[in-house]
Amino acid sequence: MKKNKIILLYSAILLSIIGASCNKFLETDPPKDQVNSKFVFENDRNALAALTGMYIRMPGYLKFELGMYTALYADELSVVASEPEHFLFYESHVPYDLDILNYYWNDCYRFIYIANSNIEGIAASSGITDSLKKQFTGEALFFRAFTYLTLTNLFGPVPLVKSTAYQENLVLPQSSVDSVYTSIVDDLLQARTLLKETYPSKEKIRVNKWAATALLARVYLYMGNWKEAGEMSNEIIRSQQYGALPPSEKVFLLNSPEAILHLASNTNAKYVSDAYNYIPAASDVVPRYTITEQLENAMEAGDKRKENWLGFNTVEGKKYFYPSKYKNNTGGTVTEYFMLLRLAEQYLIRAEAYAHSDQFNLAVSDLNVVRQRAGIELIPPATIHSREQLLDLILHERRVEFFT
């Protein structure tokens, strides 16, 4: 409750800050580098360039240590030596005026503006091919939904900005979490009707129908709409687009068969930022961020995730585990992409949906798909005697599957 109050207070204060700064903007001329939207969206090629710019911008707020901060907050990570703000997250004492919160808030809304600009520009264009209009609009709707899901999970009630009319947006009040979720669902349902099942790119780095469906399944799960969540996950699993779960050591590799959507690096570094942040510079130093004892102990004997997704350094006789889902921290040849959506989540979403409808055998079957890939003992359906027991097992599996 204390954490929520802090974050909601921060949201309210940010609104006043944003209002003040935007009022100043009204007194100035428009930016000199502003591109005329009619030119940007006058044909397929220009519209694709604008959409590509959105993809390039996307990894900013998402990959700027967001997973690390939330992992610290959720006691997945411990801090050994780092910036003071990292300790604040670890200790769950996050002040409303912390710079990193300001960064995430502003970057999310900048990205939403880009998505809205694409949606409006594509709709107003008469020069874009109809099929591409649908595809481009679906992709922009997906990312607007994804960003609002990030915002409302970080801050709670937030202003719901659905246009580029900044004069109107200046006076928008906070929308309730329920209203934000309704908007997210609306965007994703529309995206599903616009997008094709095939990827519009050679690699799985652009949004297709199944990416929108996977995100919608997650949203329905967070809303407690178990039936709808299960239906969305079921569509993906039964589509056979993604096949069986690959071995744990191949999950996060370039073009992983498990990926529903992942992001290519938009920098010259050619590595995923998680690898750079978590992997120690040398084998004889204590990692800056270590896996907590609770999370380490949650991994069962023989779990291949501990073997393949954790690294460790032994310093003065003590073993320190750190996250190593991504392993390339030096650049060179690109070997990994940032995973945004993957198939294992869909099995666990469907398992949870089955559990809430008391279809225990089906839920255990999906749960065991993930456990089997991890190389650990399968759950016998006959040992499940209550919904609460089953939900605890699913929660446990989510914890060790999706850490950091």
Side-chain angles (χ1 to χ4, degrees), residues 20 78 89 128 176 226-227 237 269 275 337 344:
S78 297
F89 275 86
I128 305 174
S176 68
W226 318 119
K227 179 176 179 290
I237 294 167
Y337 280 164

Side-chain angles (χ1 to χ4, degrees), residues 284-324:
D284 59 350
V285 299
V286 176
R288 292 174 67 198
Y289 309 100
T290 59
I291 292 292
T292 59
E293 215 174 289
Q294 303 98 302
L295 180 56
E296 181 192 340
N297 292 338
M299 294 185 174
E300 299 167 47
D303 195 328
K304 293 179 181 177
R305 290 170 293 202
K306 185 171 184 178
E307 176 186 342
N308 293 310
W309 295 355
L310 295 182
F312 68 88
N313 277 3
T314 302
V315 182
E316 296 181 357
K318 183 176 180 180
K319 187 177 285 189
Y320 296 90
F321 285 97
Y322 57 85
S324 68

Side-chain angles (χ1 to χ4, degrees), residues 35-217:
V35 180
N36 187 291
S37 62
K38 291 182 180 179
F39 173 76
V40 171
F41 298 101
E42 70 176 357
N43 56 44
D44 294 350
R45 182 177 179 180
N46 287 4
L48 177 59
L51 189 76
T52 301
M54 186 174 68
Y55 276 91
I56 291 173
R57 187 71 181 85
M58 177 66 181
Y61 81 81
L62 185 67
K63 293 167 68 176
F64 189 73
E65 300 181 342
L66 179 58
M68 182 195 70
Y69 282 110
T70 51
L72 288 167
Y73 199 72
D75 295 332
E76 294 178 349
L77 292 179
S78 297
V79 185
V80 177
S82 191
E83 300 298 327
E85 64 184 25
H86 297 164
F87 288 100
L88 293 174
F89 275 86
Y90 178 67
E91 295 168 355
S92 301
H93 295 301
V94 184
Y96 69 84
D97 57 351
L98 201 62
D99 285 345
I100 192 64
L101 294 180
N102 190 36
Y103 170 84
Y104 288 136
W105 176 280
N106 289 333
D107 204 55
C108 282
Y109 274 107
R110 277 193 289 266
F111 188 75
I112 287 169
Y113 183 91
I114 294 171
N116 287 338
S117 177
N118 274 269
I119 293 166
E120 291 174 2
I122 293 164
S125 174
S126 59
I128 305 174
T129 306
D130 285 344
S131 61
L132 289 180
K133 259 194 170 188
K134 292 179 180 179
Q135 174 68 38
F136 294 165
T137 302
E139 291 175 84
L141 286 168
F142 171 91
F143 280 121
R144 183 168 72 181
F146 191 98
T147 307
Y148 268 116
L149 186 62
T150 300
L151 268 172
T152 196
N153 276 278
L154 288 176
F155 297 106
V158 296
L160 198 52
V161 178
K162 303 292 286 288
S163 77
T164 58
Y166 63 85
Q167 299 96 329
E168 298 172 11
N169 296 336
L170 276 174
V171 295
L172 283 177
Q174 289 179 320
S175 294
S176 68
V177 172
D178 286 346
S179 297
V180 176
Y181 268 99
T182 297
S183 176
I184 292 169
V185 169
D186 288 345
D187 279 355
L188 292 174
L189 286 173
Q190 186 180 352
R192 267 172 47 87
T193 68
L194 296 172
L195 296 165
K196 296 180 180 179
E197 295 183 9
T198 54
Y199 287 90
S201 50
K202 291 182 180 179
E203 301 173 308
K204 293 184 283 188
I205 56 175
R206 282 181 59 192
V207 176
N208 68 347
K209 174 185 174 180
W210 299 124
T213 304
L215 185 58
L216 186 57

Side-chain angles (χ1 to χ4, degrees), residues 15-27:
L15 283 177
S16 63
I17 295 172
I18 290 171
S21 60
C22 288
N23 282 331
K24 293 179 182 178
F25 175 74
L26 289 174
E27 300 169 5

Side-chain angles (χ1 to χ4, degrees), residues 204-365:
K204 293 184 283 188
I205 56 175
R206 282 181 59 192
V207 176
N208 68 347
K209 174 185 174 180
W210 299 124
T213 304
L215 185 58
L216 186 57
R218 180 188 294 178
V219 171
Y220 279 141
L221 186 81
Y222 289 2
M223 295 173 73
N225 294 353
W226 318 119
K227 179 176 179 290
E228 292 85 354
E231 287 172 350
M232 293 298 103
S233 291
N234 193 46
E235 278 193 33
I236 296 167
I237 294 167
R238 289 192 172 185
S239 73
Q240 296 299 309
Q241 174 100 15
Y242 304 98
L245 297 184
S248 56
E249 65 269 21
K250 295 184 178 180
V251 171
F252 299 97
L253 294 179
L254 179 74
N255 291 322
S256 163
E258 184 173 341
I260 297 174
L261 182 66
H262 49 197
L263 298 177
S265 173
N266 65 353
T267 69
N268 294 324
K270 298 184 179 180
Y271 56 74
V272 175
S273 58
D274 284 27
Y276 179 81
N277 289 330
Y278 293 140
I279 298 176
S283 60
D284 59 350
V285 299
V286 176
R288 292 174 67 198
Y289 309 100
T290 59
I291 292 292
T292 59
E293 215 174 289
Q294 303 98 302
L295 180 56
E296 181 192 340
N297 292 338
M299 294 185 174
E300 299 167 47
D303 195 328
K304 293 179 181 177
R305 290 170 293 202
K306 185 171 184 178
E307 176 186 342
N308 293 310
W309 295 355
L310 295 182
F312 68 88
N313 277 3
T314 302
V315 182
E316 296 181 357
K318 183 176 180 180
K319 187 177 285 189
Y320 296 90
F321 285 97
Y322 57 85
S324 68
K325 287 180 173 178
Y326 303 97
K327 305 184 188 307
N328 177 14
N329 65 337
T330 58
T333 303
V334 176
T335 58
E336 299 163 328
Y337 280 164
F338 185 84
M339 185 71 75
L340 206 63
L341 297 164
R342 60 187 176 98
L343 190 60
E345 180 187 15
Q346 299 306 312
Y347 276 104
L348 293 179
I349 288 175
R350 192 171 71 171
E352 193 164 343
Y354 282 143
H356 279 282
S357 62
D358 294 330
Q359 299 182 74
F360 292 172
N361 287 351
L362 291 174
V364 170
S365 177

